[in-house]
Amino acid sequence: MVKQREARLDIITGPMFSGKSEELVKRLRRFKIAGLSVKVFNHSIDDRYGKKKISSHAKDQWRAIPVPNSQELLNKVTCRTNVVVIDEAQFFDEGLFTIVEELLRREIIVIAAGLDTNFRGEPFGVMPQLLACADGEVLKLKAVCKICRKWNATRTQRLNGDGKPAPYSDPLVKVGALDSYQARCRKHHEVPGRPDSS
């Protein structure tokens, strides 16, 4: 068994359609070649491409263990684990931060990928805490804006069934893909009904 000398927390973030899961799969292939023991997790709420795998919109896939919360994730990590990969980290409860800290104390490399902002353009779930404590690589990806077609999209635009922007009052978590979401730049990101911030 290979044991790591130094643990670290790497973060991969950005809007939907920016290639976060593709980046995870690329790293997973490298870990496999290196002979590291890797545990890959996703939240059981995300069943867009099947619950037992992470999958990019480009159909890159890797087997994953679906878990309903952060404690279940910790329960499935063994003393042989060298690397823990967490996809769609924004769906996890606030306890994920403490769990990640515990994994780092165990000298496990942790890579978390997820949306840094929700459809409203606000910090999403536990991601801000993870970003603040990342001591490894932080990779913030961009996508192509669906409106202006520029490589500057940092926001995730949610759409209603009629193709119009979803209102601010919509629930924060709503699993979907191309039918419900678009990548957009700040200029073209729309959230009707947003409270006045002034």
Side-chain angles (χ1 to χ4, degrees):
M1 179 188 78
V2 180
K3 191 66 179 173
Q4 296 304 310
R5 291 185 180 177
E6 283 188 39
R8 68 177 188 273
L9 170 60
D10 291 349
I11 301 290
I12 302 168
T13 191
M16 289 183 70
F17 314 111
S18 61
K20 296 182 299 298
S21 296
E22 289 172 60
E23 181 66 27
L24 277 183
V25 171
K26 180 174 80 174
R27 292 174 186 221
L28 284 164
R29 289 186 183 121
R30 291 177 185 164
F31 294 141
K32 183 177 180 180
I33 291 167
L36 296 175
S37 174
V38 182
K39 292 272 188 178
V40 182
F41 297 96
N42 60 354
H43 198 288
S44 54
I45 194 174
D46 186 5
D47 59 359
R48 289 171 295 175
Y49 304 106
K51 288 192 173 187
K52 294 189 176 180
K53 59 188 170 184
I54 60 171
S55 182
S56 72
H57 299 290
K59 304 298 185 233
D60 288 323
Q61 296 181 346
W62 202 274
R63 287 182 56 83
I65 303 166
V67 290
N69 56 57
S70 58
Q71 186 58 53
E72 234 0 80
L73 183 154
L74 183 62
N75 292 343
K76 295 186 182 300
V77 175
T78 71
C79 62
R80 296 175 53 84
T81 305
N82 302 120
V83 182
V84 167
V85 171
I86 306 164
D87 195 22
E88 304 294 355
Q90 77 278 353
F91 289 145
F92 282 86
D93 54 271
E94 295 292 322
L96 183 62
F97 176 76
T98 304
I99 298 301
V100 166
E101 288 290 311
E102 172 61 24
L103 295 173
L104 295 171
R105 277 192 292 276
R106 295 184 189 181
E107 299 183 347
I108 294 172
I109 293 171
V110 179
I111 303 175
L115 301 172
D116 53 347
T117 57
N118 58 32
F119 82 98
R120 298 172 177 169
E122 301 167 342
F124 201 167
V126 73
M127 284 298 289
Q129 288 176 281
L130 295 175
L131 279 161
C133 293
D135 54 356
E137 182 180 9
V138 174
L139 183 60
K140 185 155 183 170
L141 301 170
K142 293 181 182 177
V144 175
C145 176
K146 184 71 172 178
I147 304 302
C148 65
R149 307 294 187 190
K150 294 179 182 174
W151 194 270
N152 61 352
T154 58
R155 304 288 176 98
T156 299
Q157 178 71 58
R158 182 183 291 169
L159 303 174
N160 278 335
D162 58 5
K164 294 182 179 176
Y168 187 90
S169 58
D170 250 21
L172 280 179
V173 176
K174 182 179 176 185
V175 177
L178 281 170
D179 57 333
S180 307
Y181 291 97
Q182 295 175 345
R184 291 198 186 180
C185 65
R186 182 185 294 270
K187 178 181 177 182
H188 294 113
H189 182 246
E190 300 177 65
V191 187
R194 182 193 298 276
D196 187 357
S197 58
S198 60

